[in-house]
Each structure stands twice: as C-alpha cells, then as structure tokens.
Amino acid sequence: MRRDLKGYFGAEPAPCWPDGARLAVSFVVNVEEGAELSIADGDDRNESRYEAIEEVRGVPDPCMESHFGYGPRQGYKRIVDAFDAHGARATFSTCGRAAVRLPWLIKDAVRRGHEISCHGWRWESHAGMDTETERSVIARTHATIADIAGVAPVGWHTRSATSPQTRALLIEHGRFEYDSNAYDDDIPYLEGAHVVLPYAFDTNDMRFSPGGGFVHAHDFSSYVIAGFERLYAEGASVARMMSIGLHLRIIGRPARIGALEAVLAHIAAKPGVWIAPRRDIARTWARHHGAPS
C-alpha cells in the first residue's frame, strides 16, 4: 500500500466553499444499532464494546442489545431536534443491517433533509476480508440503503480498519463519489475522480467511552469548539474542513445532548461557516479540484 505522508504541505489549496465560507463543517451521525455483532442475529460472537466493556461468549447477550437500543428509542429524536433548531443538515452513516431494522428512522432523516451514507453491512472492520466477500458486502449495503432511503447513497465509511482493497472496490462499484476511510488531513483530497473526506476520532463523542477522556458534556463541547476555532482561523486563507462524529446511543443521552446543542449554537453564531452533508462537500471539492472533463 502506498503511503503519502506529505499531503498538501507547502501548497495548501485556497478555500472553495459556497458563498465564500472559510470552513466546511460536517456532522456525521453513525447509525449502528441493530448491526452490532450479535449471536442472536447469527453472528459468530457478540459485540463487546459499549460504555462498559464486557464479553459474553457463546450465548446471546440481551444486555448489550438493550444498550444499543437506547439510540433509536431516545437518542435519535434529541439529535435531530438539535439539528432542526439550527437548520443544520448532517450525514447519517448507516450500517445496512441497521437500516433494515430502522426503516422509520432512515425515512425520517431523509424527510428532514439529511444524507444517508453507507457504514458497512454489519458494524465491523473489513481488515482481513477477502476481495469477493468485501465486494458483496459493499454491493449489498448500497442496494439495501438505496431501497430503504429512496435515495442512492454516494458515500462510504468502514468501521475502524479497512482492507487494502476497500477504496478500489468502492470505485469499482461505480456509485460511490467519496469515502471517509482516512484520518490524515483537515482538507479533502482526490484519488482520481474519487474524493476522500478525512474523518476524525478526536472531535467525536466516542471519547465518552471508557478511557476516551470525555466525562461531562462540556468536555465534548469545549474540545470541539476549540478545534472549530482553530480551523475557522486557518480557513481565512486555506481550505479547511471539520468532521464532528456522533452516535445515537452516546451523544443522545440526557446529560450529553446539551454538548451538541452548545456546539451548534457556537457554530451558528459565526459568519462564513458552511454546515453541509458530506455528499455536498465532496461534490464541491470535485467540482473545483477535479480533472476537467
């Protein structure tokens, strides 16, 4: 695998966002509930990571399933209400099996103007997956989400590690315009005509998990706002994009949702910020930086 450790160093592109915005902000809501590994669903093991880490082997784990159930039952409504209050549109990065379990949620998110993208079939890494299996997983996920959402998805993000062939398979599939399987920049970049939109694990509510560093709501909002302010300042002269990662079952908790509301209020008070679904960011980048047709 080729590694590029230089990136745009010494030649960072100028801003290109609509209406002269100096920063593109992408909120990503991960929809994984119902797609976590579960022996009860026929998987070979149960998911072992939540806010508590406990591995139940060989038998179904109703406790873990109940933890994941909180997101769609309560968290989702709090999150979309916060977005609606500020006119913000997000990307709902959705596992195929979760979409099958939550068609009402997917349809509601589309109705509100949000993007639905692909997050794998199950909530799992693709590391070590053989090419034919992965090709099938990509096709199945895309077809299922397109059918349920009523809009064909154009973006992909794998949980944790991809395989070496993931991006090539996404390009081969022909319906994906971007992927978020990178964490190496604050600027989008191109691989041919395919856009890579780097994602981030630091400005992400996953850090409320054990050992992640976030405990109180203000831990999340303070950290995210600090990142926003830095990128906003840099965006006066060079292209900058910020990703903020969310999960239904994490930020949607009563003691945490205020953090998302605080971040949205802070961003909304700043001029020259473009909050957009990732498909719009990818298309804008391709239009300004892609090869002429």
Side-chain angles (χ1 to χ4, degrees):
M1 295 178 64
R2 180 181 61 86
R3 295 182 67 192
D4 177 6
L5 300 181
K6 183 177 181 181
Y8 290 109
F9 181 78
E12 291 194 323
C16 65
W17 309 127
D19 300 319
R22 58 200 289 175
L23 179 61
V25 175
S26 165
F27 286 92
V28 178
V29 183
N30 295 279
V31 181
E32 300 152 348
E33 289 77 5
E36 76 277 9
L37 298 178
S38 170
I39 286 176
D41 279 334
D43 301 325
D44 60 1
R45 60 186 175 89
N46 293 312
E47 180 57 47
S48 60
R49 293 191 60 86
Y50 181 62
E51 294 189 49
I53 300 175
E54 181 178 2
E55 187 169 1
V56 176
R57 300 183 181 183
V59 295
D61 185 357
C63 178
M64 185 62 73
E65 291 180 354
S66 181
H67 282 305
F68 275 79
Y70 187 88
R73 291 168 66 104
Q74 289 292 340
Y76 171 75
K77 185 62 164 56
R78 293 185 181 122
I79 292 168
V80 292
D81 283 352
F83 288 146
D84 284 351
H86 295 280
R89 298 295 172 260
T91 294
F92 281 69
S93 183
T94 305
C95 296
R97 195 165 77 183
V100 172
R101 287 261 171 74
L102 304 169
W104 59 269
L105 187 154
I106 301 307
K107 294 178 188 299
D108 185 73
V110 171
R111 181 183 62 80
R112 294 172 187 264
H114 301 295
E115 173 193 10
I116 310 298
S117 65
C118 296
H119 194 26
W121 179 255
R122 301 188 301 188
W123 188 48
E124 63 179 344
S125 166
H126 281 204
M129 193 176 285
D130 68 80
T131 299
E132 287 306 314
T133 298
E134 187 171 19
R135 181 181 285 117
S136 176
V137 165
I138 289 169
R140 183 185 187 190
T141 304
H142 186 277
T144 299
I145 290 178
D147 180 61
I148 293 171
V151 181
V154 298
W156 181 280
H157 181 220
T158 308
R159 177 191 178 181
S160 302
T162 64
S163 76
Q165 67 266 7
T166 300
R167 184 165 294 144
L169 290 173
L170 294 172
I171 294 170
E172 174 195 280
H173 183 273
R175 300 298 298 276
F176 291 97
E177 299 176 21
Y178 75 88
D179 74 68
S180 300
N181 295 328
Y183 309 86
D184 53 2
D185 219 316
D186 299 310
I187 311 174
Y189 53 91
L190 292 167
E191 291 210 1
H194 185 81
V195 182
V196 179
L197 296 183
Y199 191 50
F201 281 172
D202 65 324
T203 49
N204 194 306
D205 68 2
M206 64 186 286
R207 293 187 59 202
F208 281 112
S209 299
F214 292 165
V215 177
H216 302 288
H218 63 76
D219 296 331
F220 175 89
S221 57
S222 296
Y223 188 92
V224 171
I225 288 170
F228 168 83
E229 286 294 329
R230 179 67 186 216
L231 293 174
Y232 183 82
E234 293 177 359
S237 58
V238 293
R240 287 291 183 264
M241 170 190 169
M242 181 177 194
S243 295
I244 301 171
L246 308 169
H247 298 76
L248 302 178
R249 62 192 180 275
I250 300 179
I251 203 68
R253 286 280 176 177
R256 296 173 182 156
I257 191 63
L260 174 59
E261 294 166 341
V263 168
L264 284 163
H266 184 91
I267 292 174
K270 285 278 192 176
V273 180
W274 183 41
I275 301 176
R278 290 175 95 75
R279 66 184 172 206
D280 296 349
I281 296 172
R283 287 169 179 171
T284 297
W285 193 262
R287 186 165 62 249
H288 285 271
H289 297 280
S293 56

